[in-house]
Amino acid sequence: MLDLVLSALIDIFHWQNFLAMFFGVALGITIGAIPGLGYTMALALLLPVTFGMPATTAMLLLIGIYCGGVYGGSITAILIKTPGTAASAATVEDGYALAKKGKASVALNMVIYASVFGAILSGLILLFAAPQIASFALKFGPPEYFMLTLFGLTIISSVSGNSLSKAFIMASLGVLFSTVGTDLVTGDTRFAFGTIFLTAGIDLIPVIIGLYAIAEIFNQAEKKIGSISANTSFESEKFTWRNLIPFRRTLMRSSLIGIIVGAIPGTGATISSFIGYNEARRASKTPEEFGKGSLDGVAAAESANNATTGTTLIPTMTLGIPGDSGTAILLGALIMQGLVPGPQLFERSGEVVYAIMIGFLFISIIMFLQGKFAVKLFAKITLIPSYVLFPIVLGFCLVGAYAVNNTITYVWVALFFGLIGYLLPKFGFPVTPLLIGFILGPLSEEALRQSLILSQGSGMIFFTRPISIFFFLLCLVSIFLPVIQKKFKERVNAK
Amino acid sequence: MEGRLKELTPMVLMGVFGIVLFLIIPSQIKQLSSEVFGPRFVPYLTAGVIVLSSVSSIIRSLTTKVKNEEVEVEENSRYGALKVILIIICIAFWIFLLPILGFILITLLATAAACLIFGDRSILRISLVSIIFTFGAYYLFAHVFQISLPSGLLF
């Protein structure tokens, strides 16, 4: 192994490989920050370009785009309440609240530090424990997937605002919208209302653009404020690794969540960021600050989603099973380069594989340097007058929704969800549970129905498998522990 | 009374929506009669949660006292609502006219209109923002990302 690592290190420092990583991260950050585009599109665009490149250079370029894209999506989530990718949706509430308080620079710094922390930890796990983690991931069947998504859904109680019943209604609406289109198990159409475009279902990107960006444009138009940041005498605050010390437990916990979720095929950074956020809130001494500008919340969501990027390469490379749409393209790139994904990949193409894994660590460092350099520039966006910024954001939302599938109907979808995101919160209905229901709904439904088909309708299938029981217990802890803690505090205060 | 009505109305509407959902599911989703966990299973489940959550919320609202909170009414709330409606009209125009006028012309007009709605009164700045954004976005999406943007029927 050591000779392969040394050989990979030498390979990484070839100028073309270094340039590929540098360019890939910059492109990923830029495209990740544009609503409607995201790293999947950037990977798809660059894939044909990499055909003539050496395997290591091509893979490093694409992984740079992937990592940069996951990070870049959080920049607009903080600055203009528009997550560039679904993985940044958990960062929106706290990040944007901080930006409005004039602390955009602090929030952006936390994003880059937490992202790099999660990514490096994930890269080390990828380097030293890929085969072991791959064998663990293989134990995941439909019952385990269902319990994992159920665990993800328990976050609804954390983001419910003042009313749990309203949060349940919104989450149900999210699940309901996710059922529109063709049923993946039977092939029947659901809620298509005789139209063709609804048969294909509702895409996630216009939903996010509508719920957050367009709804925020309506809110800003209604309020008439000068700029996003309340603090017009904006100055960037100094932020170093020392600033992470109070958040070390959150970072470790969320990174571990991201690492585990990333290793499970078909899950991805979105789920890990929500689970990481939920667990940070549950463990926090000040959970009431979450959603109102908590740096802990930003650290949790960002370290979790970036920790996913490294370990998601494990099932991709060792099992040939992609973790999400981004890694599906990376898998295609591996095959295109003549590398056969699977357990034999380490033996047959060890040099390239180790170059990819070590390159991943260097990509995290490059991402840190580029992000750190750009934070000061990004933060100034919150000072742009709203009559200049929001028309531009609106333009990006419209063209971004259109660009998802080159169809005007997706702009209607974005407008529809924009109205939901604008109107329902006025009556106390929180928006985030709807998005969580929409993201986790299809995974959860598919796993539930597959499990029940396997067990011929018996629910006992969820309680006879160790991993499934483990996640079920986590669900119980996640739901009941805050209630018990609250009762305990009330008793202590009463005494 | 007014506070309670304001609290109850959305929950009643959500409950009604849940019941309507129950009624339309059979016409919208085909399912073999033998299937228990078929394509209708999750939609029925969500409709059930919506109805139950609405009912529980309505009961809680009726059995607890309404807090006498003073509702803050912004002076410019009517003006704000008008601006939201204008933005919606602006988006609708962009959607309807995109295939006819093409991306460049309709985006120029829509961006300028949005600047005006957001309160910009400087003709020079509105023109600059509209032109720079429209041509910048066109170059980025059409040339860099190779996304086909409508050129319109008129040109």
Side-chain angles (χ1 to χ4, degrees):
Chain A
M1 182 185 164
L2 195 65
D3 54 331
L4 284 169
V5 171
L6 284 172
S7 159
L9 268 172
I10 295 164
D11 206 12
I12 291 291
F13 284 104
H14 279 162
W15 68 269
Q16 66 266 43
N17 289 342
F18 200 80
L19 201 67
M21 290 190 287
F22 193 86
F23 177 71
V25 172
L27 190 68
I29 292 175
T30 311
I31 294 182
I34 300 173
L37 292 183
Y39 55 78
T40 309
M41 185 181 281
L43 287 170
L45 280 170
L46 265 284
L47 185 65
V49 179
T50 62
F51 190 66
M53 293 179 183
T56 309
T57 314
M59 291 311 296
L60 291 177
L61 173 72
L62 295 175
I63 293 170
I65 293 171
Y66 179 55
C67 294
V70 173
Y71 161 65
S74 307
I75 297 167
T76 41
I78 287 170
L79 299 177
I80 49 173
K81 207 181 179 184
T82 309
T85 62
S88 313
T91 314
V92 166
E93 299 293 345
D94 286 297
Y96 188 64
L98 283 164
K100 283 206 287 189
K101 290 175 188 170
K103 293 183 175 177
S105 170
V106 178
L108 287 168
N109 268 305
M110 179 53 91
V111 169
I112 185 68
Y113 280 83
S115 298
V116 171
F117 183 91
I120 288 183
L121 213 61
S122 180
L124 291 171
I125 297 288
L126 173 70
L127 185 60
F128 294 111
Q132 291 86 342
I133 286 189
S135 62
F136 166 74
L138 272 179
K139 289 176 184 161
F140 266 70
E144 285 79 12
Y145 274 105
F146 174 67
M147 281 298 172
L148 175 70
T149 52
L150 200 65
F151 178 50
L153 282 167
T154 59
I155 192 194
I156 289 163
S157 60
S158 301
V159 289
S160 60
N162 295 327
S163 168
L164 195 61
S165 53
K166 284 178 179 171
F168 277 130
I169 289 174
M170 290 302 271
S172 301
L173 281 177
V175 175
L176 187 71
F177 286 127
S178 77
T179 63
V180 173
T182 307
D183 176 31
L184 290 174
V185 180
T186 61
D188 292 315
T189 53
R190 300 190 286 191
F191 300 114
F193 295 96
T195 61
I196 295 168
F197 93 90
L198 282 176
T199 310
I202 302 172
D203 196 274
L204 179 61
I205 300 294
V207 173
I208 292 180
I209 288 175
L211 280 180
Y212 289 101
I214 293 181
E216 185 58 19
I217 288 165
F218 291 156
N219 280 321
Q220 296 294 343
E222 191 182 22
K223 283 175 196 161
K224 195 187 180 183
I225 57 158
S227 62
I228 290 173
S229 176
N231 183 5
T232 48
S233 60
F234 167 83
E235 280 179 20
S236 58
E237 293 173 39
K238 202 177 176 189
F239 199 102
T240 64
W241 288 104
R242 281 190 180 180
N243 292 63
L244 290 191
I245 293 171
F247 306 98
R248 60 191 183 280
R249 285 186 185 166
T250 300
L251 289 168
M252 281 303 293
R253 191 188 311 108
S254 293
S255 298
L256 282 174
I257 288 168
I259 284 165
I260 294 166
V261 173
I264 303 163
T267 49
T270 312
I271 296 176
S272 70
S273 63
F274 275 117
I275 294 177
Y277 183 85
N278 188 32
E279 288 309 294
R281 187 186 185 275
R282 199 173 54 75
S284 172
K285 286 176 184 170
T286 52
E288 68 281 357
E289 284 180 15
F290 277 63
K292 295 170 189 165
S294 165
L295 263 183
D296 217 15
V298 175
E302 287 305 311
S303 51
N305 68 23
N306 280 274
T308 307
T309 53
T311 47
T312 200
L313 293 173
I314 295 173
T316 308
M317 292 198 300
T318 58
L319 306 173
I321 308 168
D324 56 16
S325 55
T327 43
I329 297 172
L330 292 177
L331 181 69
L334 271 177
I335 297 166
M336 224 170 72
Q337 292 291 340
L339 306 171
V340 184
Q344 304 297 316
L345 184 68
F346 283 78
E347 289 167 26
R348 287 182 190 161
S349 317
E351 281 184 20
V352 179
V353 173
Y354 276 94
I356 289 171
M357 293 195 291
I358 292 171
F360 181 87
L361 291 170
F362 278 92
I363 282 167
S364 304
I365 296 165
I366 291 170
M367 193 168 84
F368 174 76
L369 296 173
Q370 288 187 2
K372 191 75 183 156
F373 172 75
V375 159
K376 286 178 189 171
L377 295 173
F378 286 142
K380 286 182 179 161
I381 288 175
T382 56
L383 298 179
I384 296 174
S386 62
Y387 51 76
V388 173
L389 182 64
F390 285 105
I392 292 172
V393 174
L394 178 64
F396 269 119
C397 288
L398 298 179
V399 70
Y402 175 85
V404 174
N405 206 15
N406 276 20
T407 169
I408 206 78
T409 46
Y410 276 21
V411 191
W412 281 118
V413 172
L415 177 60
F416 172 73
F417 280 95
L419 288 171
I420 287 182
Y422 169 67
L423 291 172
L424 290 186
K426 290 188 182 297
F427 300 100
F429 291 94
V431 166
T432 310
L434 191 149
L435 183 68
I436 295 167
F438 189 83
I439 291 168
L440 294 180
L443 269 175
S444 185
E445 183 191 6
E446 198 183 342
L448 172 68
R449 286 170 58 194
Q450 281 175 345
S451 304
L452 293 171
I453 289 167
L454 281 173
S455 67
Q456 293 173 325
S458 167
M460 283 310 290
I461 192 168
F462 300 110
F463 306 104
T464 51
R465 299 160 72 116
I467 299 173
S468 175
I469 294 170
F470 172 73
F471 280 114
F472 177 69
L473 292 174
L474 280 182
C475 290
L476 292 180
V477 169
S478 184
I479 293 166
F480 292 111
L481 194 66
V483 180
I484 295 165
Q485 280 175 332
K486 197 180 169 186
K487 293 272 178 202
F488 183 75
K489 269 185 188 173
E490 280 172 2
R491 275 191 186 181
V492 169
N493 289 339
K495 279 178 185 175
Chain B
M1 183 66 188
E2 199 181 322
R4 177 158 288 169
L5 198 67
K6 199 184 170 189
E7 203 178 314
L8 279 174
T9 310
M11 299 312 292
V12 171
L13 287 175
M14 278 294 177
V16 171
F17 173 73
I19 294 165
V20 171
L21 197 59
F22 261 113
L23 298 174
I24 65 162
I25 284 171
S27 66
Q28 286 299 317
I29 306 169
K30 285 180 191 168
Q31 181 166 306
L32 295 171
S33 56
S34 59
E35 285 179 313
V36 179
F37 303 104
R40 286 180 189 170
F41 177 67
V42 169
Y44 271 132
L45 195 70
T46 55
V49 173
I50 290 170
V51 172
L52 284 176
S53 300
S54 305
V55 170
S56 77
S57 207
I58 290 165
I59 292 169
R60 200 169 50 248
S61 171
L62 289 172
T63 51
T64 53
K65 282 186 179 177
V66 179
K67 288 175 188 172
N68 287 324
E69 288 176 357
E70 284 186 19
V71 183
E72 282 183 33
V73 181
E74 287 179 28
E75 279 181 21
N76 60 348
S77 62
R78 278 190 183 175
Y79 186 57
L82 179 71
K83 287 209 285 185
V84 173
I85 292 166
L86 287 174
I87 295 273
I88 295 168
I89 293 170
C90 183
I91 295 172
F93 264 105
W94 190 88
I95 296 171
F96 278 122
L97 295 177
L98 181 70
I100 300 161
L101 297 181
F103 176 81
I104 290 179
L105 193 55
I106 190 62
T107 307
L108 266 173
L109 294 172
T111 313
C115 287
L116 272 170
I117 297 166
F118 269 95
D120 197 353
R121 295 291 175 264
S122 159
I123 301 291
L124 179 69
R125 194 166 44 220
I126 291 173
S127 311
L128 275 175
V129 168
S130 308
I131 291 167
I132 293 170
F133 169 72
T134 303
F135 285 97
Y138 182 79
Y139 180 79
L140 186 71
F141 282 84
H143 293 286
V144 179
F145 302 132
Q146 303 287 314
I147 291 163
S148 159
L149 295 169
S151 54
L153 299 174
L154 303 175
F155 305 102

